[in-house]
């Protein structure tokens, strides 16, 4: 079947190909309202799909932005198995689409050049999640496109940055368990790396213990990957071998779900035998049985905020080098549900 072209649309509408091009490329002010309506009617009637590549060449833009997720752990499927990413990526994509752009998703393994990705795709901008101050970040500074960071503890003012106070979030979760009477509190977490999200939540956990006069037990920290399976294995381990532990802070809801499954497999129950608190408040948290007590970060709002910052730079005036760039902190709140009980209460 022959592909419909601009000339076909023009012929069907009884206008010039130039008029069709104006309307499809955001220059409708150059033609009359009657012509605009005819063109839109013809586009719909012929089911015409614009050639994005051709439009990009004409406008010196690819109309593509990338969502980059550095793979910092050995489990390559983490990016797809955690609903947190689905929620934030959906929010970003919706904003980008509102601007007439398209988003592509890329997981970047250690050792892979971000410069290669940006050049080969001719990107107009990028959002990068959880980048560390190492090679990938240094490469980002060499790329001459707008970039917005999410959940990145980078100590300079090169790029706009959207995130939360992860240390405060870890403190909130642990303090809630302490307020419920728990004293032997475990932490189940992904890999703790310097200047990363997980490290900040770990530091909040330690601060809450210290401020309440509780001893920090290194043996109560179970560190591996941000995954359901890590939670499940650790849940069984805690339930079977650590009768002293009465509560667990999981630094991600997916880990908390695995924990609860593992605890149940070991013949114990949440919250009757062990209390569990998560972090993120992904959409599944209130559907889970029992519904998960967790620290809520506004995942969709975080993605929307980052996307708007990026698109404003792409379609508007980009900040000059050295100019102050925003660092936006999204507020946190504790959501009480059914996985934490009052000890001896």
């Amino acid at each position: 079947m022959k592909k419909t072209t601009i000339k076909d649309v023009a012929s069907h509408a009884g206008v010039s190909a130039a008029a069709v091009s104006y309307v499809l490329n955001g220059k409708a002010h150059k033609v009359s309202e009657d012509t605009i309506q005819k063109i839109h009617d013809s586009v719909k009637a012929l089911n015409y799909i614009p050639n994005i590549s051709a439009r990009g060449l004409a406008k010196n833009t690819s109309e593509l932005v990338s969502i980059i997720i550095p793979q910092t752990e050995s489990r390559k499927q983490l990016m797809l198995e955690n609903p947190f990413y689905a929620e934030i990526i959906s929010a970003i994509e919706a904003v980008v689409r509102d601007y007439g752009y398209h988003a592509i998703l890329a997981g970047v393994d250690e050792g892979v050049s971000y410069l290669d990705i940006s050049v080969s795709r001719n990107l107009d901008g990028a959002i990068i999640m959880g980048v560390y101050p190492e090679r990938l970040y240094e490469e980002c500074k060499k790329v001459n496109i707008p970039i917005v960071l999410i959940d990145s503890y980078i100590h300079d003012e090169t790029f706009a940055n959207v995130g939360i106070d992860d240390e405060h979030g870890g403190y909130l979760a642990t303090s809630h368990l302490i307020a419920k009477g728990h004293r032997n509190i475990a932490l189940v977490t992904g890999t703790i790396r310097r200047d990363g999200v997980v490290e900040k939540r770990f530091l909040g956990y330690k601060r809450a213990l210290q401020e309440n006069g509780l001893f920090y037990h290194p043996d109560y920290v179970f560190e591996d990957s941000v995954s359901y399976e890590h939670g499940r294995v650790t849940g069984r381990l805690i339930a079977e071998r650590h009768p002293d532990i009465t509560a667990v802070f999981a630094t991600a809801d997916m880990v908390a779900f695995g924990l609860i499954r593992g605890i149940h497999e070991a013949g114990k129950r949440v919250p009757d035998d062990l209390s569990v608190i998560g972090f993120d408040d992904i959409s599944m948290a209130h559907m889970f049985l029992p519904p998960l007590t967790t620290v809520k970060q506004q995942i969709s709002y975080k993605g929307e905020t980052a996307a708007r910052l990026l698109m404003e730079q792409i379609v508007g005036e980009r900040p000059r080098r050295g100019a102050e760039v925003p660092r936006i902190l999204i507020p946190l709140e504790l959501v009480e549900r059914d996985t934490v009980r009052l000890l001896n209460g």
Side-chain angles (χ1 to χ4, degrees):
M1 184 177 178
K2 182 183 175 184
K3 184 177 180 180
T4 304
T5 67
I6 279 184
K7 289 183 179 179
D8 295 327
V9 174
S11 177
H12 187 276
V15 300
S16 68
V20 176
S21 179
Y22 287 147
V23 171
L24 297 181
N25 288 287
K27 300 177 181 178
H29 61 279
K30 293 189 175 185
V31 298
S32 68
E33 291 293 330
D34 181 57
T35 298
I36 293 171
Q37 188 59 51
K38 287 180 180 178
I39 291 169
H40 284 312
D41 290 344
S42 295
V43 166
K44 185 176 180 180
L46 299 176
N47 194 28
Y48 173 67
I49 301 173
N51 185 321
I52 294 172
S53 298
R55 286 174 59 186
L57 287 171
K59 298 165 69 175
N60 194 28
T61 174
S62 67
E63 297 185 347
L64 286 176
V65 300
S66 184
I67 304 167
I68 308 289
I69 305 178
Q71 298 297 282
T72 57
E73 301 190 42
S74 59
R75 292 170 56 87
K76 301 293 180 64
Q77 72 271 32
L78 283 174
M79 183 173 70
L80 299 177
E81 78 173 17
N82 192 337
F84 169 85
Y85 289 114
E87 292 182 34
I88 198 166
I89 289 167
S90 294
I92 293 169
E93 191 277 333
V95 172
V96 167
R97 183 161 25 93
D98 281 345
Y99 279 84
Y101 279 65
H102 300 268
I104 59 174
L105 177 63
V108 180
D109 294 328
E110 289 191 59
V112 175
S113 172
Y114 172 72
L115 286 171
D116 292 343
I117 295 174
S118 63
V119 171
S120 65
R121 298 285 189 174
N122 189 29
L123 299 174
D124 290 335
I127 292 173
I128 307 180
M129 297 191 205
V131 68
Y132 289 86
E134 49 194 28
R135 178 185 171 188
L136 176 59
Y137 178 65
E138 291 305 316
E139 284 190 342
C140 291
K141 292 197 287 188
K142 299 175 185 176
V143 180
N144 189 31
I145 60 172
I147 291 175
V148 174
L149 306 180
I150 294 180
D151 293 337
S152 300
Y153 287 90
I154 302 295
H155 304 293
D156 72 30
E157 301 298 323
T158 305
F159 303 121
N161 201 330
V162 179
I164 59 175
D165 187 341
D166 289 284
E167 195 272 347
H168 178 61
Y171 177 83
L172 274 180
T174 311
S175 297
H176 180 68
L177 295 174
I178 294 170
K180 293 293 185 179
H182 297 277
R183 296 297 177 263
N184 294 324
I185 301 169
L187 178 77
V188 182
T189 183
T191 305
I192 299 173
R193 295 182 59 185
R194 181 173 176 79
D195 286 328
V197 164
V198 169
E199 185 206 39
K200 303 302 181 186
R201 295 177 191 180
F202 166 63
L203 293 175
Y205 161 80
K206 288 181 70 176
R207 179 164 69 91
L209 295 177
Q210 181 181 18
E211 288 189 4
N212 287 276
L214 300 179
F215 183 72
Y216 164 66
H217 295 270
D219 291 345
Y220 286 0
V221 176
F222 301 86
E223 176 187 358
D224 192 272
S225 63
V226 183
S227 66
Y228 178 89
E229 192 57 34
H230 171 46
R232 183 178 180 180
V233 169
T234 308
R236 288 184 64 97
L237 178 67
I238 291 173
E240 292 173 349
R241 302 186 187 178
H242 293 273
D244 48 329
I245 292 174
T246 64
V248 186
F249 166 36
T251 58
D253 288 348
M254 278 299 290
V255 177
F257 296 157
L259 265 166
I260 294 170
R261 173 68 180 272
I263 290 167
H264 284 207
E265 288 175 346
K268 296 192 176 181
R269 294 290 176 263
V270 174
D272 297 342
D273 301 304
L274 277 160
S275 290
V276 174
I277 190 168
F279 198 114
D280 288 332
D281 197 31
I282 60 177
S283 58
M284 294 169 58
H286 74 280
M287 306 176 197
F288 197 77
L289 289 176
L292 182 67
T293 296
T294 188
V295 175
K296 177 183 179 68
Q297 59 166 310
Q298 301 175 62
I299 301 171
S300 293
Y301 181 63
K302 181 191 283 187
E304 292 166 2
T305 301
R308 293 195 190 284
L309 281 175
L310 181 67
M311 297 311 303
E312 286 167 5
Q313 291 184 53
I314 292 174
V315 303
E317 182 178 345
R318 291 175 57 181
R320 67 184 185 280
R321 289 285 180 179
E324 184 176 349
V325 294
R327 173 162 177 81
I328 297 175
L329 285 180
I330 309 297
L332 298 168
E333 64 176 295
L334 189 110
V335 179
E336 290 193 63
R337 296 193 179 104
D338 299 337
T339 57
V340 175
R341 77 175 182 93
L342 181 64
L343 195 63
N344 299 323

